[in-house]
Amino acid sequence: MNIVEKILARASGKQQVSPDDVIFANVDKVMVHDVSGPGVIKVFDKLKKQGINVDKLWDSSKVWVAEDHFVPSADKISAENIVKLQNFTKNYGIEKHFKYGMGQYGICHTISHEEAMVLPGEVYVGGDSHTNTTGALGAFAAGLGHTDIAYVLLNGKIWFKVPETLYFKLNGKLPDHVMAKDLILKIIGDIGTDGGAYQTMQFGGSGIDEMSVESRLTLCNMTTEAGAKTGIVEPDQKVVDYLTSRGASNINLVKGDADAEYSKIYEYEGSEMEPIVAKPFSPENTSVVREAPHVELDKSYIGSCTGAKYEDLEAAAKILKGRKVKIRTEVLPAAISIYRRAMENGLLKIFLDAGATVGPPTCGACCGAHMGVLAKDEICISTTNRNFPGRMGHVDSQTYLSSPLVAAASAVTGKITDPRDLK
Amino acid sequence: MKGNVIKYERDNIDTDVIIPGQYLKIHDYSELASHAMEGLDPQFHSKVKEGDFILSGKNFGCGSSREHAPIALSHSGIKAVLALSFARIFYRNAVDGAFLLPIEIEEDAYHGISEGDEIDIDVKLNEIKNLTKNQSYKMKPFSEIIGKIIEAGGLFKYKPD
């Protein structure tokens, strides 16, 4: 069995599972945020009316909560959603609630790794499609809707069809000007936005072994854009070190068997990789940066669970150091812990000196919700994960997806720019 | 199950156009319905009728996990979405929450059915009849678990064996 099959077999009490088996998996961790939480509360209200008991969760200690989409509160409705969410966690005795304005908080997927909320080998579900991100720690991590999350909160388990696994092998390190974001955009360009549909996308090979945990998180994050059920990397000592430095213990490294089966294997040569952008209006609409259209950009956005981890900010700072931005540039670290490190290590000063605005952690403009949404006809280069029509604001705005290196280089020139071509 | 078809002849209709991100803070189902499909078809709300179906191409509902998407369609009156394929979270949200039926179709139905056609979906026979054009097409059968959850009326009413 491969790693996902082993995790799902253990979680469903079976010796063996195979692709297409339908199982009920016991869940180890579950997450809701300020959009899916109120959605779940609404489902609970509906269930109560049907006479279903919702007085107690299956295990409050396995539930954690993030405030990220509409924080700092965008308006009255989103402020009320935060109050609802805080009452919910209080009533159900959920202790792990990362509240904005009270120390550590951030985008849910970023909190999942920054706070070691999920461990290798676990089954982790979240009320957000980019829950796949956390598979980079060697967990089975999948996004679910409100009804399914409500079911997990009350029953501690959920059904899954065991997915087939696509294996993406990276041979050798990526060059310095290429980031994990470029690789995952290249892959999505190759297989399409449904190329991984209902399947696992697993990453391995010497290039992945060499990669930081944060880069692996970027890869797994955007498996969602290929339609995958989950993304995963087999955990190694880097993951153990990463998690133990964040307070985790009793880490159990589940790996696939030597004879594990994959439905298809794709190979990429690290040395051949180039900076990539995804043009409007789909993450699969990719181009090598040097062949990208010569558009006049209005904005560069360095934020989100995909592109505002510490190493993403470091990459942007490397470019922006001693330079000035030519277009509106917003940098929003994805969690307070990252914000603090960026402050202590001088990155925030580099951003401010370059003329960029630094904002608080939020999903905000990434999903067109608030705090930096795009006007009609505005064109943005962004380290986020989606560029469907209207994703970051007006339906006639445009988003190009890129790595933090490319977004920062483009901020300096006002055009889509390969970091190697920056003077 | 009979109804008329609203057709979007394109692939990858994503949740950002089914219900744009700015409305994610809203959990009032009828208000969500008033913004359904706003990112693609601003006329949708005025033309949709109770019992209508949507017909579309590949990978319908890709993107976010927002259950707002099947909710907004269902509370607009949509009883089923017929598509060449579905993104996974939209599909399970539609079924587990009992909001609408996600019907997987083949190319013949996709090309054969036009905007406004009246069709009759028979999930027992896995058949779609086009009453306007007097044609019929096969739908892909539901997998066993999906069939059982639909029959039960959603995940909370489903009793695993």
Side-chain angles (χ1 to χ4, degrees):
Chain A
M1 289 188 286
N2 63 40
I3 176 172
V4 162
E5 290 159 359
K6 281 175 99 164
I7 294 172
L8 292 178
R10 190 266 308 155
S12 58
K14 294 184 191 301
Q15 288 293 318
Q16 178 101 26
V17 297
S18 306
D20 287 344
D21 288 356
V22 173
I23 52 148
F24 266 84
N26 290 312
V27 169
D28 299 297
K29 301 281 167 56
V30 55
M31 179 280 297
V32 295
H33 53 48
D34 60 318
V35 168
S36 51
V40 166
I41 294 168
K42 184 99 182 178
V43 175
F44 274 24
D45 291 344
K46 234 169 30 175
L47 292 171
K48 252 190 278 186
K49 283 183 200 148
Q50 295 167 13
I52 294 171
N53 187 337
V54 298
D55 294 343
K56 237 182 117 215
L57 303 188
W58 118 92
D59 188 344
S60 302
S61 72
K62 293 182 174 176
V63 184
W64 63 280
V65 177
E67 298 178 357
D68 56 9
H69 275 65
F70 287 87
V71 295
S73 291
D75 53 18
K76 283 180 280 184
I77 297 176
S78 42
E80 279 157 18
N81 281 337
I82 295 294
V83 172
K84 259 193 224 170
L85 193 63
Q86 295 191 349
N87 287 337
F88 181 80
T89 55
K90 201 171 145 201
N91 292 343
Y92 285 102
I94 299 165
E95 287 171 7
K96 296 185 209 87
H97 184 150
F98 298 91
K99 298 173 180 174
Y100 83 96
M102 294 183 70
Q104 172 71 316
Y105 94 95
I107 301 175
C108 55
H109 313 302
T110 313
I111 294 293
S112 80
H113 56 86
E114 282 290 299
E115 291 297 312
M117 299 308 294
V118 179
L119 300 180
E122 290 187 334
V123 171
Y124 164 54
V125 296
D128 192 283
S129 63
H130 288 105
T131 301
N132 296 23
T133 310
T134 314
L137 304 178
F140 174 82
L144 297 172
H146 312 157
T147 301
D148 284 346
I149 292 289
Y151 191 90
V152 173
L153 289 175
L154 295 172
N155 300 292
K157 59 183 180 178
I158 190 71
W159 71 271
F160 283 108
K161 192 183 268 189
V162 176
E164 294 197 352
T165 299
L166 304 176
Y167 190 93
F168 296 85
K169 190 172 177 215
L170 177 65
N171 299 318
K173 269 174 76 167
L174 296 175
D176 285 346
H177 55 278
V178 176
M179 300 184 74
K181 178 67 172 282
D182 299 301
L183 174 62
I184 190 65
L185 288 175
K186 165 82 179 143
I187 290 172
I188 295 166
D190 289 348
I191 67 172
T193 51
D194 63 353
Y198 296 82
Q199 299 164 85
T200 298
M201 290 171 69
Q202 183 172 337
F203 303 92
S206 61
I208 304 296
D209 295 343
E210 297 255 3
M211 220 178 235
S212 69
V213 172
E214 289 197 358
S215 291
R216 298 174 191 175
L217 286 157
T218 306
L219 294 179
C220 290
N221 175 278
M222 285 195 70
T223 59
T224 304
E225 276 53 61
K229 187 168 290 177
T230 191
I232 200 162
V233 178
E234 287 194 342
D236 58 4
Q237 192 57 38
K238 280 186 186 168
V239 171
V240 175
D241 295 344
Y242 182 93
L243 291 170
T244 42
S245 73
R246 286 161 172 79
S249 54
N250 297 324
I251 297 170
N252 175 24
L253 294 189
V254 180
K255 295 191 185 197
D257 297 324
D259 61 351
E261 287 183 15
Y262 304 97
S263 58
K264 200 164 177 189
I265 296 174
Y266 296 82
E267 293 208 42
Y268 290 87
E269 299 303 319
S271 61
E272 293 172 8
M273 292 296 120
E274 293 240 27
I276 303 279
V277 286
K279 298 172 284 185
F281 290 98
S282 173
E284 72 181 28
N285 191 18
T286 52
S287 160
V288 170
V289 168
R290 283 178 170 168
E291 293 162 15
H294 299 283
V295 293
E296 298 283 335
L297 297 167
D298 296 293
K299 163 168 163 164
S300 174
Y301 186 83
I302 298 164
S304 87
C305 53
T306 320
K309 300 178 291 302
Y310 186 77
E311 101 179 3
D312 298 320
L313 300 188
E314 245 181 349
K318 195 169 81 182
I319 299 284
L320 292 175
K321 190 171 185 182
R323 294 192 169 101
K324 294 279 180 202
V325 299
K326 203 171 177 183
I327 51 173
R328 188 165 79 242
T329 301
E330 299 166 12
V331 183
L332 295 92
I336 288 294
S337 50
I338 295 169
Y339 199 114
R340 176 178 289 279
R341 274 174 77 197
M343 178 182 72
E344 289 170 352
N345 295 340
L347 306 189
L348 300 190
K349 184 172 186 311
I350 292 171
F351 298 139
L352 294 174
D353 287 348
T357 295
V358 178
T362 181
C363 303
C366 170
C367 57
H370 69 122
M371 245 174 55
V373 298
L374 300 175
K376 186 175 190 301
D377 299 328
E378 277 196 314
I379 306 178
C380 174
I381 189 149
S382 175
T383 65
T384 55
N385 47 43
R386 287 192 185 127
N387 60 349
F388 301 127
R391 170 68 181 181
M392 293 188 76
H394 195 280
V395 74
D396 294 325
S397 62
Q398 297 180 33
T399 296
Y400 288 78
L401 304 175
S402 80
S403 77
L405 283 175
V406 172
S410 305
V412 172
T413 62
K415 294 184 168 56
I416 299 169
T417 301
D418 187 312
R420 287 170 295 181
D421 299 334
L422 206 59
K423 289 183 193 84
Chain B
M1 193 168 59
K2 280 186 205 173
N4 293 94
V5 168
I6 297 173
K7 185 168 180 177
Y8 297 108
E9 200 161 353
R10 54 190 288 171
D11 297 332
N12 302 313
I13 290 193
D14 62 271
T15 55
D16 281 309
V17 303
I18 298 172
I19 183 81
Q22 57 184 298
Y23 303 120
L24 292 181
K25 62 192 174 206
I26 294 166
H27 295 278
D28 178 87
Y29 290 177
S30 44
E31 195 180 342
L32 284 174
S34 71
H35 298 292
M37 302 304 289
E38 204 172 273
L40 178 66
D41 179 6
Q43 306 308 317
F44 177 81
H45 184 61
S46 54
K47 73 181 175 197
V48 65
K49 301 185 309 296
E50 182 67 25
D52 279 355
F53 306 128
I54 285 176
L55 174 69
S56 190
K58 278 196 307 180
N59 205 24
F60 188 92
C62 61
S64 111
S65 61
R66 60 191 71 162
E67 201 154 305
H68 307 60
I71 289 170
L73 296 180
S74 159
H75 284 260
S76 297
I78 297 292
K79 296 289 178 231
V81 176
L82 294 79
L84 290 171
S85 64
F86 289 90
R88 61 168 283 270
I89 306 182
F90 180 90
Y91 189 89
R92 67 183 293 159
N93 284 347
V95 170
D96 286 355
F99 294 111
L100 52 83
L101 293 183
I103 309 267
E104 276 190 85
I105 53 169
E106 307 279 0
E107 295 282 344
D108 60 344
Y110 181 49
H111 297 294
I113 302 172
S114 308
E115 170 88 16
D117 283 0
E118 187 185 22
I119 61 169
D120 187 1
I121 303 170
D122 187 332
V123 295
K124 290 262 184 300
L125 296 175
N126 296 313
E127 194 181 58
I128 301 160
K129 277 195 187 127
N130 188 332
L131 304 175
T132 307
K133 293 191 176 135
N134 198 23
Q135 294 174 346
S136 67
Y137 327 94
K138 283 277 157 209
M139 60 170 265
K140 288 186 199 160
F142 295 121
S143 70
E144 194 183 343
I145 181 151
I146 295 296
K148 284 181 178 171
I149 294 171
I150 289 170
E151 206 172 333
L155 182 61
F156 275 95
K157 293 181 181 159
Y158 166 72
K159 300 278 171 272
D161 302 327

